[in-house]
């Protein structure tokens, strides 16, 4: 029972409650009313019949009680009264003198019956007829069958039941309509709450200007609350989104950093390897020219050998070449140390780049490989702020590399070209070229590409590192491209 009750809607519950109370009240009222009608009707009937009996008993004299024709006429007059159905007259010994009317009653009682307690279907009123000296001269019984009275009461009860049913119907309809109107805002509120539960914060409980009762106030408060909740939720979503974005970015940064670190780690390992190689190269390279310098110098100093002038000159040439290589090695090494310590300072002066290029080309020895160097340039270039010695060093380095990696009898081209904000100098050879994967790496410290030429031509892997550093010190940049069909093209750009 309780479970059924708990499943009912709020409206049904209220309706059930109101209908139960109202119907109970109406039922009790109608019942009381029916009882009252019953009492009133019976009292009235009893009173009326009593009054008629009284009138007869007072109006009949001692001579008239035995006058049957008179009694006959009198009876007719009495029976004209509505409800009264029979009348009978008795002498002083209760012996029947005259009886008139629909006399259905068999046992006559000489006492007035109680209308509320009649034991058969007739109601009698008994009266004694008194003489002048107040002695009993006869008696009268007036009565009627209770059938019609009961019928009237039944009719009344039936009408009462109809009214009762009608009242119930009316109560149910009125309660239903009233509750539907009254609970409408609550229904909207309920729908809004359900929508809000589904995170649909756009819904509002509809309020009209007349909704100033408690439910209207609740609906207004609810709308205010929903708005606040909506903005709070939006703010929260934004914050979460920002936090997630932040986390995503931090994560990306972390991933990038990890990648960089692992790259750095690889570079460090590579550098470490290269440094070990460098130390062995440097020590080997230092030792090799030194050994030949010492050997040739000792031979020259040995007076007992009687060397010819030509041989002596050859030996001195070897000593000079090896000394130059030694000097280059040492200066590369010193430059690198300066770069790493941050004390590599350029001496900037106004200079003409074309002149520097021509000077470097003039002094470079290309005869051994039969290589020719061609310079392509416009006639005039603006003066630039340069460290002439360092730019010379750059050109020497690039040209010596180009010579190293070029085949015999090939051409090395130097192109000088002016752009809006910079002058670009390209050193183009027809040599072995540089694979794409190595194009950036060749500028790293101690980095050398393993090739037959690089093994034969001993180097430190420092030349291009120093070149890049010098160019960047001038605010420029350097990169390498492929030369079609073969070779490489080192380009450096210097700002005007
Ligand atoms: P080194 O010449 O002393 O080995 P560099 O820093 O000058 O060191 O050059 C680094 C590497 O770049 C060289 O080992 C070589 O493999 C490559 N390289 C440089 N210039 C050229 C070039 N013009 N053609 C082909 N390879 C080159």
């Amino acid at each position: 029972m309780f479970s059924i009750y708990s499943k009912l809607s709020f409206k049904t519950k209220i309706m059930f409650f109101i209908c139960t109370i109202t119907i109970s009240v109406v039922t009790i009222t109608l019942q009381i009313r029916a009882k009252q009608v019953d009492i009133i009707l019976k009292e009235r009937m009893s009173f009326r019949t009593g009054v008629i009996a009284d009138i007869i008993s007072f109006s009949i004299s001692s001579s008239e009680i035995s006058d049957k024709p008179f009694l006959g006429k009198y009876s007719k007059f009495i029976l004209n009264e509505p409800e009264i159905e029979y009348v009978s007259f008795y002498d002083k010994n209760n012996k029947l003198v005259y009886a008139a009317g629909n006399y259905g009653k068999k046992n006559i009682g000489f006492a007035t019956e109680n209308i509320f307690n009649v034991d058969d279907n007739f109601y009698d009123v008994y009266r004694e007829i008194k003489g002048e000296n107040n002695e009993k001269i006869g008696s009268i019984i007036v009565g009627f069958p209770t059938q019609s009275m009961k019928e009237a009461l039944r009719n009344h009860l039936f009408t009462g039941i109809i009214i009762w049913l009608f009242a119930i119907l009316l109560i149910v309809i009125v309660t239903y309509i009233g509750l539907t109107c009254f609970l409408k805002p609550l229904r909207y509120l309920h729908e809004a709450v359900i929508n809000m539960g589904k995170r649909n914060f756009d819904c509002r409980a509809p309020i009209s200007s007349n909704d100033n009762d408690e439910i209207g106030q609740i609906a207004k408060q609810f709308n205010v609350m929903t708005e606040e909740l909506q903005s709070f939720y939006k703010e929260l979503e934004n914050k979460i989104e920002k936090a997630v974005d932040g986390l995503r970015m931090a994560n990306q940064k972390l991933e990038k950093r990890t990648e960089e670190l692992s790259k750095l780690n690889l570079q460090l390992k590579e550098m470490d390897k290269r440094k070990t190689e460098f130390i062995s190269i440097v020590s080997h390279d230092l030792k090799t020219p030194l050994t030949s310098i010492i050997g040739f110098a000792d031979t020259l100093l040995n007076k007992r050998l009687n060397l010819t002038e030509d041989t002596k000159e050859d030996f001195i040439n070897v000593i000079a070449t090896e000394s130059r290589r030694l000097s280059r090695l040492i200066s590369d090494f010193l430059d690198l140390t300066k770069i790493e310590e941050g004390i590599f300072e350029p001496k900037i002066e106004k200079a003409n780049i074309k002149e520097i290029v021509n000077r470097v080309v003039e002094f470079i020895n290309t005869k051994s490989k039969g290589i020719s160097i061609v310079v392509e340039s416009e006639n005039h270039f603006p003066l630039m702020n340069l460290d002439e010695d360092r730019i010379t060093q750059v050109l020497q380095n690039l040209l010596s590399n180009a010579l190293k990696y070029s085949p015999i009898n090939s051409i090395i081209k130097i192109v000088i070209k002016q752009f809006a904000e910079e002058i670009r100098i390209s050193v183009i050879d027809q040599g072995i070229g540089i694979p794409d994967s190595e194009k950036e790496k060749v500028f790293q410290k101690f980095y050398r590409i393993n090739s037959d030429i690089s093994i034969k031509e001993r180097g430190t892997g420092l030349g291009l590192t120093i070149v890049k550093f010098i160019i960047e010190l001038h605010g420029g940049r350097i990169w390498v491209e492929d030369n079609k069909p073969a070779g490489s093209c080192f380009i450096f750009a210097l700002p005007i």
Side-chain angles (χ1 to χ4, degrees):
M1 177 71 185
F2 187 74
S3 69
I4 295 172
Y5 175 78
S6 62
K7 275 179 197 159
L8 295 175
S9 69
F10 180 62
K11 188 171 145 187
T12 319
K13 279 178 196 165
I14 293 195
M15 223 178 109
F16 178 73
F17 181 71
I18 293 174
C19 287
T20 310
I21 290 181
T22 329
I23 290 167
S24 305
V25 169
V26 169
T27 311
I28 291 167
T29 314
L30 281 174
Q31 260 181 358
I32 292 170
R33 185 83 194 116
K35 194 78 198 158
Q36 278 174 343
V37 167
D38 186 81
I39 292 167
I40 290 166
L41 189 71
K42 281 179 177 169
E43 272 178 356
R44 288 249 171 103
M45 290 296 282
S46 143
F47 178 72
R48 211 166 145 261
T49 319
V51 168
I52 290 165
D54 281 344
I55 292 167
I56 297 166
S57 68
F58 281 120
S59 60
I60 288 181
S61 61
S62 54
S63 58
E64 285 166 344
I65 193 77
S66 50
D67 186 353
K68 278 187 185 179
F70 170 76
L71 288 178
K73 274 184 208 164
Y74 199 35
S75 299
K76 261 185 195 167
F77 173 71
I78 291 164
L79 290 176
N80 273 342
E81 279 297 312
E83 303 297 342
I84 303 295
E85 289 276 328
Y86 59 84
V87 60
S88 42
F89 298 89
Y90 302 88
D91 63 8
K92 61 181 172 188
N93 298 319
N94 285 345
K95 199 176 158 213
L96 180 68
V97 180
Y98 187 83
N102 185 10
Y103 205 86
K105 191 167 179 179
K106 285 181 183 125
N107 303 318
I108 303 296
F110 292 95
T112 302
E113 274 190 67
N114 183 355
I115 198 161
F116 295 103
N117 211 13
V118 278
D119 48 8
D120 52 21
N121 287 332
F122 294 90
Y123 171 66
D124 298 328
V125 174
Y126 167 79
R127 289 284 186 272
E128 284 185 351
I129 303 166
K130 304 276 183 172
E132 275 168 13
N133 301 325
N134 208 26
E135 79 286 6
K136 178 183 172 185
I137 54 168
S139 57
I140 181 176
I141 289 176
V142 180
F144 60 88
T146 53
Q147 183 65 24
S148 59
M149 185 182 74
K150 279 180 183 167
E151 219 159 78
L153 281 173
R154 245 198 321 274
N155 283 344
H156 182 262
L157 189 69
F158 180 71
T159 317
I161 287 169
I162 299 280
I163 291 171
W164 180 78
L165 284 174
F166 184 72
I168 286 172
L169 196 70
L170 203 70
I171 287 165
V172 170
I173 291 170
V174 169
T175 313
Y176 181 81
I177 294 169
L179 274 180
T180 307
C181 293
F182 167 64
L183 292 176
K184 210 178 201 172
L186 260 188
R187 208 186 71 220
Y188 291 144
L189 207 61
H190 180 233
E191 278 167 13
V193 168
I194 286 174
N195 273 328
M196 212 170 82
K198 290 175 188 163
R199 293 190 191 166
N200 176 9
F201 294 113
D202 291 330
C203 63
R204 296 282 179 277
I207 319 164
S208 76
S209 52
N210 302 327
D211 292 338
N212 278 325
D213 57 3
E214 286 85 343
I215 295 175
Q217 293 297 329
I218 289 173
K220 274 179 199 162
Q221 276 309 313
F222 173 82
N223 286 348
V224 171
M225 204 178 78
T226 312
E227 257 163 44
E228 275 177 18
L229 212 65
Q230 188 176 25
S231 66
F232 174 74
Y233 195 77
K234 253 185 200 160
E235 223 171 89
L236 205 71
E237 264 184 345
N238 285 344
K239 275 184 187 166
I240 290 172
E241 221 165 85
K242 269 184 195 163
V244 169
D245 278 354
L247 273 173
R248 207 176 289 134
M249 268 163 73
N251 197 28
Q252 274 171 2
K253 271 185 192 165
L254 207 71
E255 273 174 12
K256 217 174 156 190
R257 199 91 195 100
T258 315
E259 216 172 275
E260 279 170 12
L261 276 173
S262 61
K263 263 187 192 168
L264 263 167
N265 195 27
L266 272 175
Q267 276 178 10
L268 273 174
K269 278 185 187 161
E270 183 82 353
M271 264 173 64
D272 200 42
K273 201 176 134 207
R274 304 241 169 241
K275 206 158 196 167
T276 320
E277 273 175 26
F278 170 73
I279 290 165
S280 73
I281 290 165
V282 167
S283 42
H284 177 262
D285 281 14
L286 285 176
K287 218 177 150 197
T288 316
L290 264 179
T291 314
S292 46
I293 289 168
I294 293 166
F296 283 104
D298 282 348
T299 316
L300 280 172
L301 288 172
N302 194 340
K303 301 254 168 59
R304 281 178 293 158
L305 286 174
N306 284 328
L307 299 169
T308 61
E309 281 306 306
D310 284 349
T311 317
K312 275 183 191 168
E313 203 185 320
D314 284 347
F315 284 7
I316 289 165
N317 269 334
V318 172
I319 290 171
T321 312
E322 291 302 313
S323 303
R324 269 197 291 278
R325 179 184 285 173
L326 205 61
S327 156
R328 209 189 71 228
L329 270 172
I330 290 165
S331 68
D332 271 5
F333 192 64
L334 282 175
D335 281 348
L336 183 72
T337 318
K338 275 187 200 164
I339 288 169
E340 288 191 332
E341 285 175 5
I343 50 168
F344 194 95
E345 289 238 339
K347 287 184 215 119
I348 304 289
E349 284 166 356
K350 294 267 178 222
N352 187 317
I353 187 73
K354 194 176 167 186
E355 281 173 17
I356 299 173
V357 172
N358 287 337
R359 211 172 307 133
V360 172
V361 171
E362 199 181 320
F363 287 103
I364 204 130
N365 179 12
T366 57
K367 280 177 202 142
S368 56
K369 281 181 116 178
I371 289 173
S372 41
I373 300 177
V374 180
V375 180
E376 275 181 19
S377 78
E378 292 146 30
N379 279 337
H380 296 291
F381 290 100
L383 285 178
M384 297 167 83
N385 290 324
L386 302 171
D387 182 332
E388 209 176 312
D389 289 346
R390 292 300 176 191
I391 296 299
T392 306
Q393 186 182 346
V394 167
L395 284 161
Q396 280 172 341
N397 207 304
L398 293 177
L399 274 173
S400 82
N401 275 349
L403 280 170
K404 254 193 247 172
Y405 298 102
S406 289
I408 50 167
N409 300 327
S410 60
I411 297 171
I412 295 172
K413 208 156 72 174
I414 300 176
V415 181
I416 314 167
K417 209 164 178 199
Q418 184 172 345
F419 288 82
E421 289 173 349
E422 60 188 20
I423 289 178
R424 284 187 197 170
I425 298 106
S426 313
V427 179
I428 309 156
D429 64 50
Q430 297 169 331
I432 56 168
I434 295 172
D436 282 347
S437 58
E438 309 280 353
K439 281 195 172 78
E440 274 185 25
K441 290 184 189 165
V442 289
F443 294 100
Q444 287 172 13
K445 257 187 282 180
F446 309 119
Y447 195 86
R448 306 192 74 228
I449 302 168
N450 277 332
S451 69
D452 292 347
I453 301 175
S454 64
I455 292 165
K456 206 176 106 206
E457 297 282 343
R458 286 167 302 166
T460 54
L462 285 176
L464 288 177
T465 312
I466 294 164
V467 162
K468 187 173 189 247
F469 183 77
I470 293 169
I471 297 298
E472 282 173 0
L473 212 64
H474 282 81
R477 57 210 168 91
I478 181 164
W479 68 98
V480 61
E481 292 174 4
D482 287 331
N483 179 32
K484 299 279 156 58
S488 45
C489 170
F490 279 86
I491 306 162
F492 66 92
L494 293 170
I496 298 167

